[in-house]
Amino acid sequence: MSSRRRRAPGGVTYDDVTGTLRERTLTALRDPGLAANLRSAGTAWAEQREVMDRDYGFNEMRDRARDIRRANIRALPALLTQLQHRVRENGGTVVRAADAAEACRYIVGLARARGVGMVAKSKSMATEEIKLNDALEDAGLEVVETDLGEWILQLAHEHPTHIIAPAIHLNKEEVAALFRAESNGDVPDDREGLVAHARMRLREKFAQAEMGISGVNLAVAATGTVCIVENEGNIRLVTSQPRIHVAVMGMERVVADWDEAAHILQVLPMAAIGYDAANYVNLISGPRREGEADGPEEFHLVIVDGGRGALRGSEFEEALSCIRCGACLYSCPMWRNVGGQTYGSPYSGPIGAVITPLLEGPSSPGSRDLPFMSSVCGACGDACPVGIPLQDLLVKARARSRSPATTKAGWAFRLWSLLWRRGLTYRLTIVGWRLGLRIRGRGGWVHRLPGPGRAWTSVRDLPSRWPPRR
Amino acid sequence: MRPGILVHTMAGAPAGPTPGLALDGGGSDGRAPTTAVGGGVEAGSGGGRHPAPLLDSTAMRVLLMRTCLSDAIAPKVWKATRRALERAGVEVRVPRGQTCCGQPAWNSGHPGQARAVARHTIKVFAGTEEVVVPSGSCSAMVVHSYPDLFRGEPDEADARDLAARTVEFTQFLARHDLDPRAKPCGAVTVHDSCHMLRALGDGTSARAALDRVPGLEVREMANTDQCCGFGGTFALNYPELSARLGDQKAHDAVNSGAPEVVACDLGCLMHIAGRAHRTGTALRARHIAEVLGS
Ligand code: SF4
């Protein structure tokens, strides 16, 4: 499998991403099917969310979820220490990785030391973030994505468009074509047939894999248990079939005890897919013990910092309470029109636009524009099950961004501020502006503005009379 | 029984530098600086719906924030707001020297520049009166973001004070159960602006005010809670994406069957109307104050 995820040096964003963010936006807008696929996904999600609120009082459950996660983040160092102890007591190995490179080095080293040839992976944002597949493939290992959506993307050499539903931008005809190319044979056209085909192909791979790599939805500090939620059953296989199971988690994914875990595990599928439960909840507390029928011989938990620790105590701390449900993506009118791939980061949508530049640094060319591709409409903050004020964080992330464009805008706003902090100079600019409007907009509309206004009239007219003439 | 009405604009406000382009409240639209209408005298016969008649001495006084967008694009909007408030028995003062709440810079990630302008606004609106703003967006800026913008600054208390006194126009009407007794009007559809709906958490005040307009029928559009794509500088940074959202909004508005879209925010309206005009979509747009102050 050729590698589809290339690493920008030290970055979270993909380095096979081309063009500026605005150019990618244009490409996405030109794709006739994309917005239709995304919008129908978004609408279906929104309808289910209403059902959740009606039947379970989801909106009240969110308050408690928020409080739990805020407390988790405040107590993070102690919870991680406890988690580490418990996992070790259970017979597992814990590795704390400061960054992507450290995490990848450990996992590749482990695979080499154990003579692993094939790795079965389940869907995981953390491994996507650290570009583990690249590292494994560079070391000569075969990596198979076993989540249906991720496998489809692996075949398509594409990046995921949603953190829960990675291939939601593709329809079933496109998927059938990919399967046909992969198997050089007959593949059915209908949904069930396609799933059955994928299941058969992937089962063959499971039988050969010596290492299974998964993500982590939540880790429970009190018992050293890793929780992974899924709908397909592939994670159950990834974490139990191969000899070695490696779980990779961002350091913020820890809760204190089972009381908290139970609540978050309820809220997660409600927020993510609008259903009251996921099909499978895997609870893993270390490797197989004596007398147990299945499970791996070795269990390794890799806890990645990757820039998270520095966010504690900052104005962005709330972003760490994210449970990666993807609700903010579905709710986002930007995401619904351009999809996750446009963002160029495994983390797309509002949360991606906030955390990608936080993890990469404010002047990273790959992500510094992301916070600006938003109208700050606040639908994301409303959708978030743990009450992250994403719209406020987007505005704060803008203030932190460093690029030639923000420098230029900074000068413009400096001038603006000098003129508009006094009544007189303000009045002069407005009088001048209205005079210009009268001259240029004699028919009631201005069709072309000069300077920064050109962007306005590139797609719309400006009414010079109000109410606007028809 | 109609309440007595006291109309008061800034005494001594100068006429604007260019007739018709003037800005400041009083006198700029050719009215006498101070007009007392029916002080203590019954006027009109609106009767019945007003539970608490106001007397001159207790007339509610407010400060009107015109908003820079209204100054720049549609002075009619703030004038209609004043008219509506006055007809509802409120004494309106339009403080001189007002400029902008600072949102454009704040929203674009330049808090320092925003603060300098916001500081001026705080001074201009000093006092104890409620500050009425015909914009969900500008009032959200003051109510929601000023405390953030001035956190730890020497004038934080003043910022919080202004935030506590500031209220969007239709919210003000709802809060005090006021009826501006608008002229009859046909069918309209309502666009919930994001800052009104989510930042201020209000999806009802605009409709409640429109409900009182004789003959007016609100035809709800689909996806009324979805952003129109204006988003301030976003409209300039990502014009094509902004336009796509504007098209979706215009499409939903037209499909409501109403010929006209109204909203509490001028920014959304000039974007929706501007895009509709460019694409040849037949859709009228009016600020809600123009309906209520007609
Ligand atoms: S920010 Fe909130 S809505 Fe978005 S993925 Fe995280 S938890 Fe879900």
Side-chain angles (χ1 to χ4, degrees):
Chain A
M1 198 61 57
S2 80
S3 78
R4 63 187 164 112
R5 296 166 171 89
R6 282 275 133 213
R7 180 184 325 194
V12 174
T13 41
Y14 305 110
D15 76 351
D16 60 359
V17 169
T18 52
T20 63
L21 183 56
R22 171 145 173 227
E23 285 160 2
R24 297 202 298 277
T25 308
L26 285 177
T27 310
L29 289 174
R30 274 195 292 265
D31 181 338
L34 179 68
N37 290 350
L38 295 171
R39 287 197 84 176
S40 74
T43 310
W45 167 85
E47 282 166 6
Q48 274 309 117
R49 269 291 286 268
E50 269 171 35
V51 175
M52 290 300 103
D53 192 39
R54 194 190 62 213
D55 294 355
Y56 298 96
F58 177 70
N59 285 332
E60 269 98 74
M61 294 175 70
R62 304 201 303 180
D63 293 344
R64 183 161 175 239
R66 181 198 58 215
D67 294 346
I68 290 172
R69 291 297 292 146
R70 293 293 188 284
N72 294 156
I73 300 308
R74 276 195 300 274
L76 195 57
L79 289 178
L80 287 173
T81 308
Q82 194 187 4
L83 174 69
Q84 206 162 324
H85 285 313
R86 292 291 172 273
V87 172
R88 284 184 185 144
E89 280 167 21
N90 295 340
T93 308
V94 180
V95 182
R96 298 283 295 269
D99 55 24
E102 257 185 58
C104 290
R105 211 178 304 130
Y106 176 77
I107 298 167
V108 169
L110 180 70
R112 281 220 177 100
R114 302 291 191 273
V116 170
M118 186 193 279
V119 175
K121 264 193 79 235
S122 61
K123 208 186 125 30
S124 144
M125 293 314 295
T127 59
E128 195 74 26
E129 173 188 326
I130 63 173
K131 282 136 183 155
L132 182 58
N133 287 19
D134 283 347
L136 292 169
E137 284 168 358
D138 289 350
L141 288 126
E142 186 183 347
V143 181
V144 185
E145 292 287 354
T146 63
D147 172 271
L148 178 57
E150 285 286 348
W151 189 54
I152 293 168
L153 291 182
Q154 196 175 24
L155 299 179
H157 305 289
E158 278 191 37
H159 300 302
T161 203
H162 187 277
I163 60 184
I164 299 287
I168 196 112
H169 59 294
L170 300 173
N171 59 34
K172 71 176 194 305
E173 287 72 28
E174 292 163 320
V175 171
L178 288 166
F179 284 3
R180 258 175 224 126
E182 189 265 345
S183 64
N184 289 320
D186 248 10
V187 173
D189 277 323
D190 60 310
R191 228 165 264 277
E192 285 72 33
L194 287 170
V195 172
H197 170 84
R199 183 179 295 124
M200 182 199 67
R201 295 290 291 166
L202 287 170
R203 288 283 156 107
E204 293 163 15
K205 305 280 186 189
F206 276 123
Q208 302 163 33
E210 293 114 330
M211 179 185 267
I213 300 180
S214 75
V216 171
N217 287 108
L218 283 182
V220 186
T223 55
T225 307
V226 162
C227 313
I228 318 170
V229 177
E230 61 165 330
N231 284 319
E232 294 174 17
N234 62 308
I235 296 184
R236 190 143 292 188
L237 289 170
V238 163
T239 58
S240 63
Q241 288 285 96
R243 257 183 315 121
I244 306 157
H245 171 205
V246 180
V248 185
M249 66 181 265
M251 70 188 284
E252 79 284 11
R253 301 300 199 89
V254 60
V255 296
D257 54 32
W258 278 102
D259 190 36
E260 292 184 358
H263 189 72
I264 302 293
L265 287 174
Q266 258 184 304
V267 165
L268 179 60
M270 288 187 179
I273 51 174
Y275 287 93
D276 56 356
N279 288 348
Y280 300 89
V281 180
N282 302 286
L283 308 175
I284 297 156
S285 306
R288 181 197 317 188
R289 276 169 235 170
E290 266 190 38
E292 284 181 349
D294 56 11
E297 291 158 23
E298 291 181 46
F299 173 70
H300 300 256
L301 179 61
V302 181
I303 304 174
V304 184
D305 181 312
R308 291 164 170 82
L311 300 180
R312 283 186 70 241
S314 80
E315 57 186 344
F316 295 101
E317 182 176 296
E318 283 166 312
L320 290 175
S321 27
C322 174
I323 56 173
R324 303 280 189 268
C325 70
C328 56
L329 279 61
Y330 280 135
S331 76
C332 176
M334 310 301 146
W335 183 90
R336 284 190 196 190
N337 278 290
V338 301
Q341 295 176 336
T342 302
Y343 292 75
S345 162
Y347 302 117
S348 64
I351 186 65
V354 171
I355 61 165
T356 310
L358 285 177
L359 299 179
E360 285 200 338
S363 31
S364 161
S367 56
R368 63 193 176 193
D369 293 336
L370 286 176
F372 294 90
M373 198 186 68
S374 161
S375 63
V376 201
C377 77
C380 45
D382 261 18
C384 179
V386 291
I388 301 174
L390 286 155
Q391 63 281 17
D392 297 343
L393 297 188
L394 280 164
V395 168
K396 287 175 184 165
R398 289 176 178 187
R400 189 177 171 273
S401 174
R402 297 279 164 273
S403 73
T406 54
T407 309
K408 211 171 128 200
W411 284 109
F413 275 115
R414 229 162 259 155
L415 177 64
W416 166 88
S417 160
L418 281 174
L419 293 170
W420 281 26
R421 70 180 69 164
R422 283 173 204 87
L424 181 68
T425 39
Y426 169 81
R427 208 143 52 220
L428 288 174
T429 58
I430 294 284
V431 167
W433 161 262
R434 287 197 58 73
L435 214 54
L437 211 54
R438 284 211 170 171
I439 294 163
R440 280 193 93 99
R442 279 195 207 90
W445 293 93
V446 180
H447 303 289
R448 274 183 67 183
L449 283 169
R454 209 167 5 170
W456 179 274
T457 46
S458 70
V459 294
R460 29 177 134 57
D461 297 323
L462 182 75
S464 60
R465 310 245 168 89
W466 195 270
R469 295 202 165 165
R470 289 277 297 279
Chain B
M1 160 90 64
R2 267 281 303 157
I5 301 174
L6 181 71
V7 177
H8 171 84
T9 51
M10 277 295 292
T18 314
L21 294 172
L23 292 163
D24 263 339
S28 60
D29 47 353
R31 295 169 9 165
T34 304
T35 327
V37 180
V41 180
E42 285 177 33
S45 56
R49 284 182 288 167
H50 306 277
L54 301 168
L55 298 174
D56 284 350
S57 54
T58 59
M60 212 185 299
R61 286 157 197 258
V62 300
L63 306 179
L64 178 66
M65 188 182 288
R66 295 189 311 249
T67 78
C68 65
L69 214 47
S70 173
D71 281 347
I73 296 293
K76 277 184 184 151
V77 168
W78 72 260
K79 288 174 188 167
T81 309
R82 180 175 63 188
R83 199 158 49 237
L85 288 167
E86 287 172 350
R87 275 209 315 247
V90 179
E91 185 188 328
V92 180
R93 196 163 70 82
V94 187
R96 287 183 62 190
Q98 58 175 291
T99 63
C100 164
C101 66
Q103 173 157 229
W106 164 252
N107 206 32
S108 311
H110 302 279
Q113 312 307 333
R115 206 175 293 120
V117 172
R119 195 160 270 146
H120 173 76
T121 296
I122 291 173
K123 283 204 199 95
V124 167
F125 289 93
T128 54
E129 299 96 328
E130 281 174 284
V131 176
V132 178
V133 195
S135 159
S137 191
C138 307
S139 48
M141 174 67 193
V142 178
V143 172
H144 184 75
S145 304
Y146 271 24
D148 234 5
L149 183 60
F150 284 91
R151 181 158 300 137
E153 298 286 322
D155 34 8
E156 182 177 351
D158 297 336
R160 286 183 181 276
D161 171 66
L162 181 57
R165 281 188 289 123
T166 298
V167 57
E168 188 276 334
F169 166 57
T170 59
Q171 286 190 302
F172 177 82
L173 296 178
R175 181 186 288 177
H176 300 288
D177 193 24
L178 298 172
D179 183 354
R181 293 177 307 124
K183 287 204 193 97
C185 174
V188 301
T189 189
V190 179
H191 163 56
D192 287 292
S193 74
C194 298
H195 285 154
M196 187 75 185
L197 185 66
R198 284 178 282 264
L200 298 173
D202 190 331
T204 57
S205 292
R207 290 174 178 79
L210 292 172
D211 262 356
R212 290 181 154 174
V213 178
L216 186 144
E217 183 204 343
V218 174
R219 297 207 184 131
E220 297 291 355
M221 66 172 103
N223 308 310
T224 175
D225 61 341
Q226 175 157 317
C227 178
C228 69
F230 170 59
T233 47
F234 167 75
L236 304 177
N237 290 332
Y238 293 88
E240 301 82 7
L241 181 51
S242 165
R244 165 72 68 87
L245 292 168
D247 289 346
Q248 289 164 358
K249 184 54 68 182
H251 176 261
D252 286 335
V254 167
N255 282 356
S256 74
E260 182 171 56
V261 56
V262 301
C264 298
D265 271 287
L266 193 52
C268 308
L269 289 170
M270 72 181 208
H271 162 70
I272 299 168
R275 179 66 190 167
H277 189 256
R278 176 65 60 92
T279 57
T281 307
L283 179 66
R284 293 204 311 265
R286 229 175 356 150
H287 192 278
I288 193 164
E290 297 174 272
V291 178
L292 300 174
S294 64

